[in-house]
Structure formats: C-alpha cells, structure tokens
Amino acid sequence: MIRTSVAVLLVCATVVAAGCTRAGDGVPTVASSELSAASEVPTTTETAPADPGQQDPEPGVVPTTQRPAPAVSVCAPADLPPVRTVAQISDPAAPTATVGVPQGWSMSAGGGDPEGARLQGVAGMSATVTIAPTPLDPAAAFREYTDALTEGSVITTVSILPGDLCGFSGQRLMGILSDGTQTVQYEDRIVHVPAPARDYLIAVHVEAPSGAPGFEEAAALLTGDFEVGLR
C-alpha cells in the first residue's frame, strides 16, 4: 500500500516522518460522519520553502534557564476551567498535568505508565494525557513524538505551531490520520518539562472521527494551557 504524508509546518521548514498512535478509550466516571476513505496516491511531502542559507528554529523550542525546585506547582493558567482532572504516573519524580475537561466528558485514571489520564466525549471523541521520561532535548523529543504519532498511517497531515508553556518548550500539533479506510482528526499539546532528576514529555492527545461535531471546541479546551506540578 502506498502512503501519503503531508507535513505543514507553520513556523519553520521541517520534514516530519509519518506514523500513528491511536488513543485508548476513556472509562466513564462522571456524566454531566461517516469516516472518509483514503485513496492510494503517490507519496508526496509538502513543507514551507527553506532558505538554504538560514536554519529556522524548531517551533516552540525556547531556552530553559534552570530546573525548577521540586514539590511546587510551576505553572498554572490565569483562567482555570471549572472542571479539571489531574494526570499522574507511578514515577514519584514525574510531573503532574492538570487539564480542563469539556462539558459532558467523562474522566478516569490512565491505564498505566505513561498514560496518566483518560477522557471520553460524545460523537466518538476521546483524549489521553501521557507523561514519559525522555533523554532527548526538546527539539529531538518533539520529532520523536510526532514520528510515533503518525507511524503506521497511510495518509497523514501534520501542522505544527509553537506551544511553549511557562518557560518550557512546547508544540501544538493538528491534522488527520488515516489507515486507508477510516480517518480521524487530532490535536496534541506536547510540553518538555525539565524536572529536578530528569526530563519528561507531557502530551495531551485528542482525537475524533473526521468531521465530528464539537471537536474544535473540545480540543481547544483540552490542549489549552494547563497546570504543571512537580512532586
């Protein structure tokens, strides 16, 4: 099967390898489209034109001046969503992530490291929050995550925007993933957190069947600025 990968980078020219990971189903705990078929076409890759004499910076990668002290909340948005859930894993040194929960969505603990939380919405929408240690610098960690996200899909699109948070490097990803018969749309927020002992990558992944109503609003809340805490 021939796969198509379209990478749209809105800040710098970067080639993104294709791949796919599907988020697991959430477990309801609180109550309050037909999928498009992909045709086989020759492989193409689209990127913004690069200036051969200039190396553009990786979107969302910012200097980290120092590692924060442990046992403190290092990031909290000014406007907190009314309903939130805390994602955490068994690693006692790992940071936590407190994300907003859209109205009518259910939430539960994750299914095991590195999955720290699961959320389930209407119309087939779902989300996961993962927290994983990484030996990589922010730019390399983001590229590895994007490769894993799109791996296995025959058609993918990836748009990348800066998504730095509280002085931590971060990116926003959005696009579609298709296995050749079904297509999902996704949005991700990934943040590289330098904890006292080692670095971690926090990722909020939201997906839905292509064209699911309300996806943009739900994804905007879930991938918005969230609270990061160190234990």
Side-chain angles (χ1 to χ4, degrees):
M1 179 173 291
I2 303 173
R3 70 188 264 214
T4 300
S5 175
V6 179
V8 182
L9 276 69
L10 304 184
V11 175
C12 75
T14 301
V15 176
V16 179
C20 167
T21 49
R22 292 294 303 273
D25 294 334
V27 179
T29 58
V30 178
S32 159
S33 139
E34 182 76 12
L35 301 182
S36 61
S39 59
E40 296 185 0
V41 294
T43 299
T44 62
T45 300
E46 296 181 3
T47 63
D51 181 352
Q54 182 177 359
Q55 182 71 35
D56 287 338
E58 189 81 9
V61 175
V62 298
T64 300
T65 57
Q66 62 182 3
R67 290 179 180 271
V72 294
S73 174
V74 297
C75 173
D79 297 322
L80 295 174
V83 181
R84 302 179 298 280
T85 187
V86 180
Q88 59 184 13
I89 59 175
S90 61
D91 181 354
T96 62
T98 304
V99 301
V101 179
Q103 184 176 4
W105 282 53
S106 64
M107 50 192 166
S108 69
D113 298 352
E115 188 178 82
R118 294 181 179 181
L119 301 98
Q120 187 72 39
V122 298
M125 293 185 282
S126 64
T128 57
V129 183
T130 56
I131 304 168
T134 178
L136 303 175
D137 62 46
F142 296 160
R143 287 192 294 270
E144 181 180 71
Y145 179 87
T146 304
D147 288 347
L149 174 68
T150 57
E151 184 180 10
S153 292
V154 295
I155 296 178
T156 69
T157 66
V158 181
S159 296
I160 304 176
L161 290 171
D164 46 297
L165 177 67
C166 293
F168 300 144
S169 296
Q171 289 184 342
R172 295 177 182 270
L173 312 177
M174 59 195 72
I176 63 168
L177 304 170
S178 175
D179 62 4
T181 59
Q182 295 182 330
T183 301
V184 297
Q185 56 189 329
Y186 69 88
E187 291 193 24
D188 287 58
R189 180 74 176 272
I190 51 179
V191 178
H192 189 275
V193 178
R198 54 181 172 174
D199 298 344
Y200 291 84
L201 188 70
I202 298 176
V204 182
H205 173 79
V206 190
E207 72 175 38
S210 184
F215 175 77
E216 290 78 10
E217 295 79 6
L221 177 62
L222 285 157
T223 63
D225 290 351
F226 55 84
E227 182 177 356
V228 175
L230 296 181
R231 296 184 282 171

